[in-house]
């Protein structure tokens, strides 16, 4: 059976636009989607079985119970380092003492019941009236900081036309997916306050994130959904509001060639394939820069599960593309997928697809003649294949692994969706290298 395509659709969430007469709590609703229900999106329900959302156990020392983000209310998982003006003196108490104190007192409740966060700039308040007054006039309400670098192609699907009579056959109608998914690049140095607020907000669902205020050394890539104009539940004035649903950050200068520092899709939009889109985009950017890398270690348990699925899909697609009888090594896999050697080896062990093939000639190595000072023609070079311990991979086993783990073999990120020339030439792979070589 063919592998289902990773359809990216608008999150199935009910938006209630507050009326101009009253602005009370009735406009705040819980999201309808995989975060609170085991049923997937309607458009994907026939393609893959329902899965329970992955949610780690909530930490006992959480200092905020729930978050109000626009029209959505959802729980937090971990504490965040908001200041005294929000949490009071408890924010200044050392975390180790606060954790042990909460563990001793089972009846201890989070300091703040609800945190109100602007969905556009992530400024926050513990007062509903002040928050709502800001949201209505937020200068980023109809814009996103930084620049748009990627637009995901809209999915197409066919809808069978209804038959008026048995003898009449109407052609199927091609329907384009509504709304737009895009990625925006934000410089932590230029939009410092926005990135600081984003990091504080993200810490509520990230256990091992530690950088909140020194954001100047990072670049942030925002995943943004733009609803179609005149969509249901939105009036004409709010149709252009952009919704930030997740992000990943990346160090501007990484000695370990990390292409991602931290990644998060906000809980209401999880389990929709959006995390895979961000991971794929991070590797595509590395490919454009000519850098083989991976995410910063250690990876959280939730992130590890997502990356294992992504890496397995990339490696399986590469294995299935090889010719029968081809002799390759682990470096060929890394060069083709831009996944670092360490992660490639880890996934080959996890996938457990390798079979012992005994000792035999390995991949031919091209060697030059004895005199290295003289330039040699191609015919003077000779290929030597050393005897090595070999393993073999059965493509039928790879296809079975793909089916059993419901992997997608299509690329989540479309290379043609990036802005022309983006990230090219930064590390000697584009025009800048040609200029240097000419000099």
């Amino acid at each position: 059976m063919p592998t289902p395509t990773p359809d990216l659709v608008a999150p199935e969430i009910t938006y209630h636009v507050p009326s101009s007469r009253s602005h009370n709590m009735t406009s705040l609703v819980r999201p309808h989607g995989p975060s609170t229900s085991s049923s997937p999106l309607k458009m994907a329900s026939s393609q893959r079985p329902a899965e329970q959302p992955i949610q780690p156990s909530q930490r006992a020392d959480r200092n905020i119970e729930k978050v109000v983000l626009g029209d959505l209310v959802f729980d937090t998982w971990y504490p965040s380092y908001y200041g005294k003006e929000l949490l009071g003196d408890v924010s200044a108490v050392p975390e180790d003492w606060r954790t042990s104190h909460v563990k001793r007192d089972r009846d201890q409740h989070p300091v703040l019941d609800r945190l109100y966060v602007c969905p556009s700039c992530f400024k926050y308040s513990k007062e509903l009236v002040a928050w709502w007054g800001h949201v209505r006039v937020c200068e980023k309400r109809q814009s996103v900081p930084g620049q748009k670098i990627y637009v995901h192609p809209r999915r197409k699907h066919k809808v069978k036309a209804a038959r008026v009579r048995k003898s009449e056959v109407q052609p199927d109608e091609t329907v384009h997916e509504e709304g737009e998914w895009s990625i925006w690049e934000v410089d932590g140095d230029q939009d410092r306050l926005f990135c600081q607020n984003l990091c504080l907000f993200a810490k509520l669902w990230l256990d091992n994130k530690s950088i909140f205020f020194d954001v100047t050394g990072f670049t942030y890539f925002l995943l943004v959904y733009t609803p179609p104009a005149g969509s249901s539940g939105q009036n004409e004035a709010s149709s252009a509001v952009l919704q930030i649903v997740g992000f990943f950050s990346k160090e501007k200068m990484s000695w370990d060639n990390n292409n991602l520092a931290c990644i998060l899709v906000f809980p209401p939009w999880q389990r929709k394939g959006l995390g895979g889109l961000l991971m794929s985009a991070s590797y595509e950017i590395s490919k454009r820069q000519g850098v083989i890398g991976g995410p910063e270690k250690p990876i959280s348990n939730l992130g590890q599960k997502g990356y294992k699925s992504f890496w397995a899909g990339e490696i399986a697609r590469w294995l299935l593309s090889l010719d029968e009888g081809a002799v390759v090594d682990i470096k060929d896999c890394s060069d083709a997928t831009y996944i670092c050697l360490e992660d490639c080896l880890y996934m080959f062990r996890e996938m457990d697809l390798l079979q012992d093939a005994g000792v035999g000639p390995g991949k031919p190595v091209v060697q030059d003649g004895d005199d290295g000072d003289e330039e040699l023609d191609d015919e003077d070079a000779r290929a030597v294949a050393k005897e090595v311990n070999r393993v073999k991979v059965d493509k039928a086993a790879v296809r079975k692994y793909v089916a059993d783990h419901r992997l997608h073999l299509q690329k989540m990120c479309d290379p043609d969706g990036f802005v022309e020339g983006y990230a090219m030439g930064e590390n000697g792979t584009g025009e800048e290298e040609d200029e240097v070589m000419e000099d």
Side-chain angles (χ1 to χ4, degrees):
M1 296 179 62
T3 305
T5 57
D7 297 333
L8 294 176
V9 298
E12 191 178 33
I13 295 176
T14 303
Y15 286 86
H16 291 266
V17 179
S19 62
S20 57
R21 297 180 180 179
S22 61
H23 307 296
N24 50 36
M25 293 297 294
T26 58
S27 62
L28 302 174
V29 298
R30 294 186 179 276
H32 294 196
S35 302
T36 56
S37 171
S38 60
S39 60
L41 296 174
K42 292 181 179 179
M43 297 181 63
S45 59
S46 61
Q47 298 177 358
R48 54 175 176 262
E51 299 180 20
Q52 292 291 340
I54 302 174
Q55 177 174 336
S57 58
Q58 296 175 332
R59 281 260 294 269
D61 60 337
R62 289 183 306 142
N63 47 14
I64 297 171
E65 177 70 23
K66 297 180 183 296
V67 164
V68 178
L69 182 69
D71 293 342
L72 307 178
V73 183
F74 46 98
D75 294 332
T76 64
W77 298 346
Y78 305 106
S80 187
Y81 302 99
Y82 286 97
K84 291 183 179 180
E85 70 280 0
L86 188 72
L87 302 175
D89 293 336
V90 72
S91 62
V93 178
E95 184 178 0
D96 295 339
W97 181 91
R98 188 166 67 248
T99 302
S100 61
H101 175 73
V102 173
K103 287 183 178 179
R104 288 197 304 266
D105 186 2
R106 293 289 183 179
D107 297 331
Q108 177 74 23
H109 296 287
V111 177
L112 191 63
D113 179 60
R114 288 194 177 187
L115 175 67
Y116 301 94
V117 180
C118 175
S120 301
C121 69
F122 294 95
K123 291 182 179 180
Y124 50 87
S125 174
K126 60 181 178 181
E127 301 293 339
L128 173 61
V129 175
W131 166 78
W132 180 243
H134 163 80
V135 169
R136 295 178 63 188
V137 298
C138 180
E139 60 182 8
K140 291 184 172 59
R141 181 175 173 82
Q142 295 182 347
S143 64
V144 176
Q147 60 175 345
K148 184 189 293 187
I149 64 170
Y150 174 83
V151 176
H152 194 67
R154 299 185 181 184
R155 187 181 61 86
K156 301 177 182 179
H157 61 279
K158 291 186 177 181
V159 178
K160 291 186 177 181
R163 290 187 177 183
V164 181
R165 298 177 182 177
K166 293 184 178 180
S167 59
E168 296 181 1
V169 179
Q170 300 292 337
D172 295 340
E173 179 183 1
T174 301
V175 178
H176 293 263
E177 182 184 84
E178 294 185 342
E180 176 186 275
W181 292 100
S182 58
I183 297 178
W184 296 63
E185 181 185 43
V186 182
D187 190 334
D189 190 23
Q190 297 180 4
D191 295 277
R192 188 175 306 178
L193 180 60
F194 173 87
C195 295
Q196 288 174 345
N197 289 332
L198 177 64
C199 290
L200 286 172
F201 179 75
K203 177 61 181 70
L204 295 170
W205 299 276
L206 294 173
D207 188 20
N208 55 356
K209 183 172 178 58
S210 58
I211 297 178
F212 308 98
F213 302 104
D214 187 14
V215 297
T216 57
F218 291 84
T219 303
Y220 296 81
F221 298 85
L222 311 178
L223 179 59
V224 179
Y225 174 69
T226 305
S231 59
S232 59
Q234 294 187 347
N235 55 30
E236 185 176 349
S238 63
S239 60
V241 176
L242 309 180
Q243 179 66 62
I244 301 173
V245 303
F247 75 100
F248 75 89
S249 61
K250 177 183 178 182
E251 286 183 291
K252 295 179 180 178
M253 180 179 294
S254 173
W255 299 107
D256 297 324
N257 289 337
N258 294 326
N259 60 16
L260 184 145
C262 76
I263 180 173
L264 175 67
V265 176
F266 303 152
W269 290 273
Q270 292 180 359
R271 308 301 294 172
K272 301 176 186 291
L274 300 177
L277 172 60
L278 290 177
M279 294 176 191
S280 183
S282 69
Y283 277 95
E284 180 61 31
I285 294 174
S286 294
K287 182 178 180 180
R288 288 167 166 262
Q289 296 174 343
V291 177
I292 297 178
E296 181 180 322
K297 309 296 192 304
I299 309 176
S300 65
N301 294 334
L302 190 61
Q304 184 77 9
K305 182 177 179 62
Y307 266 103
K308 284 174 62 175
S309 178
F310 172 76
W311 287 333
E314 294 292 304
I315 292 176
R317 184 173 63 249
W318 174 72
L319 290 174
L320 294 175
S321 68
L322 297 176
D323 296 332
E324 293 292 340
V327 178
V328 294
D329 56 20
I330 195 68
K331 188 177 183 303
D332 293 326
C333 178
S334 178
D335 292 342
T337 61
Y338 276 80
I339 301 174
C340 66
L341 292 173
E342 176 186 354
D343 296 331
C344 287
L345 287 171
Y346 169 78
M347 280 312 304
F348 273 111
R349 297 189 184 101
E350 286 289 319
M351 296 171 73
D352 194 22
L353 298 175
L354 303 180
Q355 302 176 6
D356 186 14
V359 178
K363 181 182 176 182
V365 179
V366 177
Q367 297 182 351
D368 294 337
D370 297 332
D371 190 357
D373 296 333
E374 298 180 1
E375 294 184 1
L376 301 175
D377 298 331
D378 294 338
E379 58 184 14
D380 293 328
R382 61 183 184 274
V384 179
K386 298 181 180 180
E387 294 291 320
V388 295
N389 294 322
R390 304 197 305 180
V391 294
K392 63 180 181 179
V393 178
D394 185 9
K395 287 190 175 182
V398 177
R399 295 188 184 95
K400 185 178 184 302
Y401 183 91
V402 170
D404 292 344
H405 292 79
R406 300 191 297 275
L407 299 179
H408 298 297
L409 296 184
Q410 294 80 12
K411 277 187 172 294
M412 294 291 294
C413 177
D414 185 3
D416 296 332
F418 283 89
V419 176
E420 184 178 358
Y422 174 75
M424 298 296 290
E426 295 185 6
N427 257 353
T429 58
E431 297 178 358
E432 291 185 5
E433 181 194 18
D434 296 338
E435 295 176 359
V436 173
M437 292 180 65
E438 289 176 2
D439 294 338

